[in-house]
């Protein structure tokens, strides 16, 4: 109740009340800007830190298509943050061909997350499409995760 009252004051920063291990971090990859907008809204609602995954080289639809054909993941920029200092990490990404966008897959391969993980997938669902292999991929790569789509 006290946090609710204090949150009404403009000087109050709810994240400052939490210990470092109780903080949330939203990590996103955005190809067209949709996932970035979702991350910005999430940041405002949850008062969490946000980190963008970026590829080392400019990345476009042609690169993504070629990388998928070759089963190759793009190189991403190194992260300058201690992921273990966060209790919960929220991954926000577009879904490409029923799997996370390739730059997000690069991130997942490079970092083993020992945190609580939530996933927000951003995309267009199609009626009648079977997403079971997408969910199998997610749960095979994360011991415990919750999915918000």
């Amino acid at each position: 109740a006290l946090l609710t009252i204090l949150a009404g004051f403009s000087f109050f920063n709810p994240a400052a009340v939490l210990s470092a291990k109780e903080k949330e971090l939203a990590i996103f990859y955005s190809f067209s800007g949709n996932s970035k907008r979702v991350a910005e809204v999430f940041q405002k609602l949850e008062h969490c830190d946000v980190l963008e995954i970026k590829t080392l080289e400019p990345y476009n639809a042609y690169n993504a298509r070629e990388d998928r054909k070759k089963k190759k993941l793009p190189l991403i920029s190194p992260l300058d943050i201690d992921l273990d200092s966060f209790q919960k990490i929220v991954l926000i990404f577009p879904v490409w061909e029923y799997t996370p966008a390739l730059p997000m897959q690069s991130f997942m391969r490079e970092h083993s997350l020992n945190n609580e993980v939530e996933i927000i997938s951003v995309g267009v669902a199609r009626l009648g499409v079977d997403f079971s292999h997408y969910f199998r991929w997610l749960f095979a790569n994360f011991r415990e995760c919750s999915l918000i789509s």
Side-chain angles (χ1 to χ4, degrees), residues 4-38:
T4 305
I5 294 167
L6 289 174
F9 296 102
S10 60
F11 64 84
F12 178 70
N13 178 4
V17 174
L18 301 173
S19 72
K21 194 58 182 164
E22 292 175 336
K23 288 177 70 177
E24 278 183 78
L25 173 65
I27 301 174
F28 74 93
Y29 172 75
S30 189
F31 185 77
S32 64
N34 292 332
S35 296
K36 181 176 184 172
R37 285 190 290 278
V38 169

Side-chain angles (χ1 to χ4, degrees), residues 26-28 30 33-52 92 120 122:
I27 301 174
F28 74 93
S30 189
N34 292 332
S35 296
K36 181 176 184 172
R37 285 190 290 278
V38 169
E40 289 167 349
V41 169
F42 188 82
Q43 180 182 32
K44 287 179 184 174
L45 292 173
E46 296 295 321
H47 306 284
C48 65
D49 295 328
V50 173
L51 180 67
E52 181 176 9
I92 303 170
I120 300 176
V122 179

Side-chain angles (χ1 to χ4, degrees), residues 48-89:
C48 65
D49 295 328
V50 173
L51 180 67
E52 181 176 9
I53 293 173
K54 296 181 180 178
T55 56
L56 285 178
E57 300 289 326
Y59 205 67
N60 58 37
Y62 176 79
N63 299 126
R65 192 171 35 258
E66 291 301 306
D67 284 351
R68 186 167 291 286
K69 281 186 205 172
K70 296 174 186 173
K71 298 185 185 223
K72 176 185 162 208
L73 295 176
L75 297 174
I76 59 172
S77 298
L79 304 179
D80 188 25
I81 194 164
D82 177 17
L83 297 175
D84 289 330
S85 67
F86 295 89
Q87 178 183 352
K88 184 193 301 184
I89 293 182

